[in-house]
Amino acid sequence: MSDHDYRPKSKVGQWFNDRLPLLTLANHLTDYPTPKNLNYWWTFGGILTFCLITQIVTGLTLAMHYIAHADMAFESVEHIMRDVNYGWLIRYIHANGASMFFLAVYIHIFRSLFYGSYKAPREIIWIIGIIIYLLMMAAAFMGYVLPWGQMSFWGATVITNLFSAIPLVGEGIVTWLWGGYSVDNPTLTRFFTLHYLIPFLILGLVVLHIWALHVPGNNNPVGIDVKKPSKDTVPFHPYIVIKDGFALLMFMIVFAFFVFYAPNILGHADNYIEANPMVTPAHIVPEWYLLPFYAILRSVPDKLLGVVAMLSAILILAVLPWLDTSKIRSAVFRPLYKQFYWILVADVLILGYVGAMPAEGLYLLIARVATAYYFLHFLVILPVLGFKEKTLPVPLSITEPVLGGPLNLAAARNKESKIE
Amino acid sequence: MKNLYKLFSIIILIITSNSYSFAAEKVEYLKTDWSFKGLFGKFDRASLQRGYQVYTEVCASCHSMKYLSYRNLAEPGGPEFSEAQAKAIAASFEVTDGPNSDGEMFTRPGKLSDKFVMPYDNVKAAQAANGGAYPPDMSVLVKARGGGVDYIYSLLQGYEEAPSNVSLDDGVYYNKYMYGNKIRMAAPLSDGLVEYGDGTNATVEQMSKDVTTFLMWSAEPHLESRHKMGFKAIVYLIILTVLVYFSMKRIWSRVESEV
């Protein structure tokens, strides 16, 4: 944290601030020294905050009209779409907002992977982020169940059934989760309750995430520690605020396109058929943002091991700060890591693709290879790379390359970390 | 910035291709110009009114439309029948109401606030009358089928003689656009089946287009206001983005001159 010697100018302000230092906090947030070379990949934190607030506000409004009952949920969604004033708008923002949220969070996570933002001293920020990501997946999954369409019902059945893979107590746990012997009304009501709760847990964790960020300050494209405040930093307001705002507006244009012109393209047509326990859809697929993990789950022939593999694929990220042994943060100065990074990106995209395909033949083979590579990347390549890789010389400060540092760094900076 | 665009487009491509992921199983649907597609897409009012006629005279004998009310027929963005017309349409249906003060159920002519009257009392009755198959509710049908309007439009025109290697049970028909090619609905349309009030020639193709347009509206009754608002919202966002871009340039120029 920066300056705690801030004193409000007015008497009232001083009186209030001595009792509850909200003004000190506001001052800290405005003056917060931020590396001035942050590129647009760094704007997704702000974008994600916007996504969370949007989901909470639209979600609250939908909850005023939605009825969490197996016989009425589907109808109440149609009521929202038809008869509630601008209900269609609120629902389409909420439904597409989930996809936009995940789009942004994946960019945010992969930015962190590229620039080594998870490394010391930012491990706690990273781990809180992974917990947020897990909660997001839980919230999104339960939210998808609420319209009580065919994909809601069968998605819920498939995912909750995963717990039955746990030896001995598995079946009992599934019955306990369902609140009965199949996905039914009790399942729907508890999913609604949890879907309502989780965003507020996420909000609390976001506060911690940002708090933990403000202790060491932002990482940056060069990946070096910067003195704060210094020539290398700018105050958060107005510099970062306006830049985040600009990026957010660009993001909102994409968002608006989906909401107004392709509101159902990210969903599955089967979810406009009311849930029917007697009819199983031809293909049960999760939402696009869960597909890579779905592919990992299905690539393992054993049910229990499949579930273990899927969970490990996420949890392995939590120990990433200790798996990556390299002292250099930014991939800009890690020529080998940079290549492996892009292979990993491709690997995850491939997993996403095969996750949407039937688990058979060539698709299954590709899924298995991609799954194996995913774990290889984190468990073997990253630890070994830290010792073997010849890294490029790192500048002493952000301004150094500009002031006539080594030529290759100036080039690297121009390419990787454009500031406006 | 370049990288950002690249990644964005890749991701959006992946996301959207996901919804077409089972394209391999699909046949090419028949194409027609839909007036409601595109940035300024609007419904063809006359087509919606004809489509309602096809629905009510043909489809409605088996398919319910339980989320629509008669008042919707007069609302802006829909078929836009006059209020008097919509009232007359509603009144032509018998609605069960009650119980009255004697505890009896009674029937009365429909009102604007009534939901579309269902052809069967319940799913079981519908199945019993249709050889075990349930004619799906049509309120959101076009959104509930992968191919959307093109699929429905094609299906209505896709009936043909079964190839010799396909054997059909009683009450099952061959349709080249149906998943698995076997459908329990007999070809619902034939040339001249309805008599359009506006003199339009009621060919199977014309009726298919009209009724599909009507189904699109019934699934997305606010499509027109969505398109209108979307255009305004996006233009507004683009202008604001440009303004914010120049403000950002200006603010950041202070830093660059300092460096």
Side-chain angles (χ1 to χ4, degrees):
Chain A
M1 303 292 249
S2 55
D3 47 336
H4 285 289
D5 46 3
Y6 166 79
R7 264 189 90 64
K9 286 193 186 72
S10 76
K11 272 260 157 63
V12 182
Q14 285 172 16
W15 178 87
F16 183 85
N17 205 48
D18 287 344
R19 282 149 185 84
L20 180 66
L22 276 187
L23 293 168
T24 304
L25 177 67
N27 178 258
H28 162 76
L29 292 177
T30 347
D31 285 354
Y32 173 64
T34 317
K36 67 180 182 186
N37 62 337
L38 297 189
N39 56 34
Y40 280 101
W41 301 113
W42 259 267
T43 59
F44 282 87
I47 288 172
L48 283 161
T49 314
F50 165 81
C51 288
L52 178 62
I53 303 295
T54 307
Q55 290 305 85
I56 289 179
V57 171
T58 51
L60 284 174
T61 325
L62 289 173
M64 294 173 192
H65 302 279
Y66 170 77
I67 301 167
H69 189 286
D71 295 335
M72 287 180 271
F74 191 85
E75 189 182 348
S76 73
V77 170
E78 278 308 309
H79 164 69
I80 290 168
M81 292 296 290
R82 289 161 195 277
D83 296 331
V84 173
N85 290 330
Y86 298 104
W88 58 269
L89 177 64
I90 299 164
R91 172 160 178 264
Y92 278 155
I93 291 176
H94 196 74
N96 286 284
S99 282
M100 293 296 121
F101 206 155
F102 275 94
L103 175 64
V105 92
Y106 282 126
I107 295 175
H108 194 63
I109 291 172
F110 275 101
R111 187 268 293 156
S112 205
L113 292 179
F114 188 86
Y115 294 109
S117 303
Y118 49 84
K119 291 184 196 184
R122 298 185 180 82
E123 301 96 320
I124 299 294
I125 312 173
W126 172 256
I127 290 169
I128 293 173
I130 297 300
I131 300 170
I132 293 174
Y133 174 50
L134 273 171
L135 285 175
M136 275 175 66
M137 289 200 276
F141 160 66
M142 290 193 226
Y144 197 57
V145 174
L146 302 185
W148 211 239
Q150 274 289 67
M151 221 30 96
S152 301
F153 182 89
W154 290 99
T157 305
V158 169
I159 300 298
T160 46
N161 253 318
L162 294 179
F163 289 90
S164 71
I166 303 168
L168 300 175
V169 291
E171 296 291 341
I173 288 178
V174 173
T175 310
W176 176 71
L177 285 174
W178 285 341
Y181 296 101
S182 67
V183 174
D184 206 340
N185 196 50
T187 327
L188 177 60
T189 49
R190 67 190 55 189
F191 275 21
F192 179 54
T193 310
L194 295 173
H195 182 71
Y196 205 121
L197 169 71
I198 291 174
F200 296 98
L201 298 181
I202 294 178
L203 187 63
L205 285 166
V206 166
V207 172
L208 294 183
H209 193 64
I210 296 172
W211 185 0
L213 168 71
H214 280 232
V215 177
N218 289 67
N219 184 27
N220 65 79
V222 187
I224 53 169
D225 293 321
V226 290
K227 280 187 236 84
K228 300 167 296 177
S230 72
K231 276 206 143 189
D232 284 352
T233 66
V234 288
F236 189 78
H237 184 75
Y239 296 97
I240 303 300
V241 169
I242 189 102
K243 193 167 171 175
D244 278 2
F246 170 67
L248 174 61
L249 283 165
M250 302 260 283
F251 183 81
M252 283 170 78
I253 293 173
V254 178
F255 196 155
F257 173 78
F258 277 107
V259 168
F260 291 107
Y261 292 107
N264 292 308
I265 201 161
L266 301 174
H268 197 290
D270 278 7
N271 229 24
Y272 278 106
I273 304 173
E274 193 168 359
N276 184 349
M278 313 305 275
V279 181
T280 318
H283 303 277
I284 301 173
V285 261
E287 294 282 74
W288 68 267
Y289 39 79
L290 302 176
L291 287 173
F293 300 106
Y294 193 55
I296 292 175
L297 169 77
R298 296 191 306 177
S299 69
V300 182
D302 180 79
K303 191 175 178 184
L304 177 62
L305 291 179
V307 175
V308 170
M310 180 177 69
L311 284 177
S312 326
I314 304 165
L315 294 178
I316 205 168
L317 294 171
V319 288
L320 181 60
W322 296 277
L323 288 174
D324 186 348
T325 49
S326 175
K327 292 277 175 286
I328 306 296
R329 291 196 191 102
S330 175
V332 174
F333 306 105
R334 300 184 61 190
L336 277 178
Y337 173 71
K338 201 186 209 168
Q339 290 173 31
F340 284 113
Y341 169 85
W342 287 111
I343 296 174
L344 179 74
V345 172
D347 187 62
V348 173
L349 291 176
I350 289 169
L351 278 172
Y353 177 75
V354 292
M357 293 296 156
E360 57 199 25
L362 188 61
Y363 293 129
L364 189 58
L365 183 69
I366 295 172
R368 286 184 176 156
V369 174
T371 301
Y373 183 80
Y374 181 91
F375 287 104
L376 189 76
H377 176 91
F378 289 108
L379 292 175
V380 181
I381 295 174
L382 278 190
V384 173
L385 215 53
F387 298 110
K388 299 280 179 201
E389 188 178 31
K390 264 210 175 115
T391 54
L392 303 174
V394 172
L396 293 171
S397 79
I398 291 170
T399 40
E400 187 210 44
V402 181
L403 297 175
L407 211 70
N408 62 332
L409 292 182
R413 179 178 176 278
N414 277 336
K415 212 171 119 206
E416 296 298 336
S417 54
K418 256 191 273 174
I419 54 168
E420 278 313 307
Chain B
M1 282 306 272
K2 229 188 217 164
N3 281 336
L4 194 76
Y5 287 131
K6 223 190 283 170
L7 196 90
F8 248 121
S9 46
I10 290 172
I11 288 170
I12 285 168
L13 201 79
I14 299 254
I15 297 169
T16 46
S17 68
N18 170 28
S19 45
Y20 300 114
S21 49
F22 302 112
E25 297 166 4
K26 283 179 192 159
V27 281
E28 269 302 305
Y29 295 130
L30 299 174
K31 297 280 175 222
T32 186
D33 286 332
W34 298 111
S35 63
F36 47 80
K37 295 242 159 131
L39 286 188
F40 305 101
K42 278 184 176 173
F43 290 113
D44 175 351
R45 225 53 75 194
S47 181
L48 277 181
Q49 297 197 355
R50 290 195 299 268
Y52 172 71
Q53 190 186 344
V54 176
Y55 167 73
T56 198
E57 289 180 15
V58 184
C59 321
S61 54
C62 299
H63 292 275
S64 60
M65 222 177 216
K66 58 183 175 183
Y67 300 124
L68 272 81
S69 307
Y70 294 110
R71 63 181 160 82
N72 297 138
L73 294 171
E75 280 167 4
E80 296 189 2
F81 287 107
S82 68
E83 200 177 309
Q85 282 173 316
K87 270 185 180 158
I89 289 171
S92 68
F93 293 91
E94 286 278 299
V95 175
T96 308
D97 201 349
N100 61 15
S101 50
D102 298 328
E104 308 283 341
M105 299 303 279
F106 61 94
T107 58
R108 57 164 175 79
K111 293 185 288 197
L112 285 182
S113 56
D114 286 319
K115 296 270 187 221
F116 277 23
V117 173
M118 311 238 281
Y120 303 105
D121 288 337
N122 50 57
V123 175
K124 290 274 180 235
Q127 284 172 330
N130 289 282
Y134 172 60
D137 183 84
M138 280 186 161
S139 312
V140 283
L141 193 68
V142 292
K143 291 201 284 188
R145 296 294 179 271
V149 282
D150 293 329
Y151 168 75
I152 304 282
Y153 177 70
S154 306
L155 184 93
L156 287 169
Q157 301 174 66
Y159 286 88
E160 46 183 49
E161 280 297 312
S164 52
N165 58 345
V166 178
S167 68
L168 296 173
D169 295 338
D170 228 19
V172 178
Y173 305 87
Y174 187 86
N175 189 308
K176 64 174 167 177
Y177 299 107
M178 180 74 185
Y179 184 76
N181 296 123
K182 291 181 182 177
I183 187 165
R184 304 287 278 274
M185 173 174 73
L189 301 175
S190 56
D191 287 336
L193 185 65
V194 301
E195 198 177 321
Y196 282 139
D198 61 3
T200 307
N201 192 10
T203 59
V204 168
E205 194 186 343
Q206 182 65 42
M207 286 186 286
S208 303
K209 186 169 179 174
D210 290 341
V211 79
T212 308
T213 305
F214 178 73
L215 290 178
M216 183 71 219
W217 167 75
S218 72
E220 280 285 312
H222 298 292
L223 179 138
E224 286 190 9
S225 43
R226 173 155 62 76
H227 284 177
K228 257 187 241 163
M229 186 192 286
F231 182 74
K232 282 187 220 160
I234 288 174
V235 167
Y236 172 83
L237 282 172
I238 289 173
I239 293 171
L240 188 61
T241 308
V242 170
L243 292 177
V244 168
Y245 175 76
F246 285 114
S247 321
M248 177 178 75
K249 279 287 177 202
R250 180 125 182 212
I251 288 172
W252 276 83
S253 67
R254 298 178 216 159
V255 182
E256 267 152 353
S257 59
E258 225 184 275
V259 173

